[in-house]
Amino acid sequence: MRPRWLRTVGIVIGALTLCSLFYGHYYSSLLSAGRTPRESVGYDLPSKGLEWIPAVPHGQKSFSLRNQEQTLRVQRPTKEQVPLTCPTSLQLRVKNDSYFKTLFNFEVPLLLWNSHLTESNWQTLSKRPVPYGWKDLPREDVASTLKLLNDSLHRAMFERQAPQKCIRCAVVGNGGILNGSKMGKEIDGHDYVFRLNGAVIKGFEKDVGTKTSFYGFTVNTMKNSLISYNEYGFTQTPKGEDLRYIFIPSDLRDYVMLRSGILGVKVPSGYDKGDKPSKYFGPKPSSKKFKMLHPDFLIYTRDRFLKSDLLNTEYANLYMPSTGGLMLLTALHSCDQVSAYGFITPDYNRYSDHYYERQKVPLEFYANHDMIMEMQLWGRLHDRGIIKLYKR
């Protein structure tokens, strides 16, 4: 017969063994149900602001008690995560407008950058002709240009900082309605000012202001403006440390010029071969100064807002929205409040074609744009309170 103390030790060891087996079975069952002991005895997890981190990764069968720790991560919004809201944003007005809410799509990509250089995008865009795609464009030229648009600033129009007030933008066309308008101070009072093509400022500061945040163009319209409006004072493109250039990709020229501008080299080939981009953008400009509109945005603006009857004529291949129209639609898809100056209005016959012409020159209409259709669009946006259109 065993001594009493030995039997006692045996009983204790047996009891401990049974407890251990029971607890192990219990713990394993809880884990298989996606819970832990702390959960099971009444610890309520907050439903908001917390993320539950499982003690054991999904699918892992074995575990060590030593590593089973309950972990909670509090998710407090950082400054960057705080939604940027503007109570008077035009997006809110669009949302509540029965007509324009069916046209606007703020999810369409506005700018083109290196992340868009995918096989899927190439297959899609290479089927559409410029400016709405890359058909017949050498893939090497498109790819080498997009690879240089690789900074976060190429993805957004503005360098937003939180908390952010409502972003107020002025888009300044070159229409004769601005001559004698004395709108210069009001224009410069906006956070950002968009200008385009032959944007003469010197001598017209009181009417058009002096501030330029963005200058929009195609290489063709920029060069033609430097030739056609040189006598009126447009002798060089706008320049400035904070100024950004917005390329409209209407042809291969725009991709090649943009690439050469960023690299700081002469244009190596094509229509502008040998040209020096430094003449237009300054010596050694930072790549951050350049942006390019996405072809998807161009076809979206044409088909949703400016689908002209010219598309059903022999001039269909020539037609595209005007540079001014594209800059105004660009602002509408990036700013909270937009004011338009120097755009065509129903009384356009009262004014010269451009505000800087010394003698009145009637506005002429060409088959590559539908200015009457654009005028009607700006007027309707103004009447619905989505933009503020300068009229006299």
Side-chain angles (χ1 to χ4, degrees), residues 203-221:
F204 297 92
E205 293 88 349
K206 289 184 178 179
D207 292 336
V208 302
T210 61
K211 184 176 181 178
T212 304
S213 311
F214 298 96
Y215 176 65
F217 57 93
T218 69
V219 171
N220 184 60
T221 61

Side-chain angles (χ1 to χ4, degrees), residues 262-274:
I262 292 176
L263 295 176
V265 299
K266 292 182 180 180
V267 176
S269 61
Y271 191 88
D272 304 296
K273 183 177 180 179

Side-chain angles (χ1 to χ4, degrees), residues 154-172:
H154 294 128
R155 304 184 178 202
M157 192 61 63
F158 312 117
E159 301 169 32
R160 286 179 180 261
Q161 295 179 355
Q164 178 67 59
K165 62 179 181 179
C166 298
I167 294 180
R168 300 175 60 247
C169 298
V171 185
V172 185

Side-chain angles (χ1 to χ4, degrees), residues 277-301:
S278 58
K279 292 190 302 183
Y280 315 116
F281 316 120
K284 298 181 179 179
S286 166
S287 68
K288 298 177 182 179
K289 293 184 73 69
F290 300 96
K291 301 178 188 294
M292 179 173 269
L293 295 184
H294 198 297
D296 281 353
F297 180 73
L298 300 183
I299 198 168
Y300 154 75
T301 56

Side-chain angles (χ1 to χ4, degrees), residues 110-297:
L110 175 62
L111 298 175
L112 187 65
W113 68 85
N114 69 321
S115 294
H116 292 131
L117 189 60
T118 65
E119 186 61 32
S120 175
N121 278 340
W122 180 261
Q123 292 300 322
T124 299
L125 292 173
S126 62
K127 294 179 174 63
R128 303 201 307 244
V130 289
Y132 312 110
W134 297 332
K135 186 177 182 180
D136 298 328
L137 297 186
R139 185 165 183 167
E140 181 181 350
D141 286 315
V142 174
S144 59
T145 299
L146 264 60
K147 286 178 180 178
L148 297 174
L149 300 176
N150 55 14
D151 191 273
S152 60
L153 296 181
H154 294 128
R155 304 184 178 202
M157 192 61 63
F158 312 117
E159 301 169 32
R160 286 179 180 261
Q161 295 179 355
Q164 178 67 59
K165 62 179 181 179
C166 298
I167 294 180
R168 300 175 60 247
C169 298
V171 185
V172 185
N174 301 320
I177 192 173
L178 282 176
N179 191 305
S181 66
K182 298 182 180 179
M183 286 288 105
K185 186 176 181 180
E186 181 175 307
I187 289 171
D188 286 346
H190 291 76
D191 298 309
Y192 299 97
V193 178
F194 292 72
R195 299 184 192 272
L196 53 120
N197 295 342
V200 179
I201 290 179
K202 188 175 181 180
F204 297 92
E205 293 88 349
K206 289 184 178 179
D207 292 336
V208 302
T210 61
K211 184 176 181 178
T212 304
S213 311
F214 298 96
Y215 176 65
F217 57 93
T218 69
V219 171
N220 184 60
T221 61
M222 177 187 70
K223 288 196 166 187
N224 284 344
S225 295
L226 287 167
I227 295 171
S228 301
Y229 311 127
N230 181 277
E231 63 176 302
Y232 302 115
F234 190 66
T235 58
Q236 63 177 356
T237 55
K239 295 180 178 65
E241 182 179 350
D242 297 326
L243 188 145
R244 302 289 183 260
Y245 298 102
I246 302 177
F247 277 72
I248 300 171
S250 69
D251 201 349
L252 177 61
R253 299 174 69 183
D254 300 288
Y255 291 91
V256 176
M257 180 66 76
L258 175 55
R259 181 183 66 209
S260 301
I262 292 176
L263 295 176
V265 299
K266 292 182 180 180
V267 176
S269 61
Y271 191 88
D272 304 296
K273 183 177 180 179
D275 204 355
K276 297 179 179 179
S278 58
K279 292 190 302 183
Y280 315 116
F281 316 120
K284 298 181 179 179
S286 166
S287 68
K288 298 177 182 179
K289 293 184 73 69
F290 300 96
K291 301 178 188 294
M292 179 173 269
L293 295 184
H294 198 297
D296 281 353
F297 180 73

Side-chain angles (χ1 to χ4, degrees), residues 67-81:
N67 294 326
Q68 300 312 311
E69 295 180 353
Q70 182 85 350
T71 306
L72 293 178
R73 184 165 65 219
V74 179
Q75 302 210 339
R76 299 184 179 88
T78 63
K79 280 188 176 182
E80 291 74 21
Q81 294 172 325

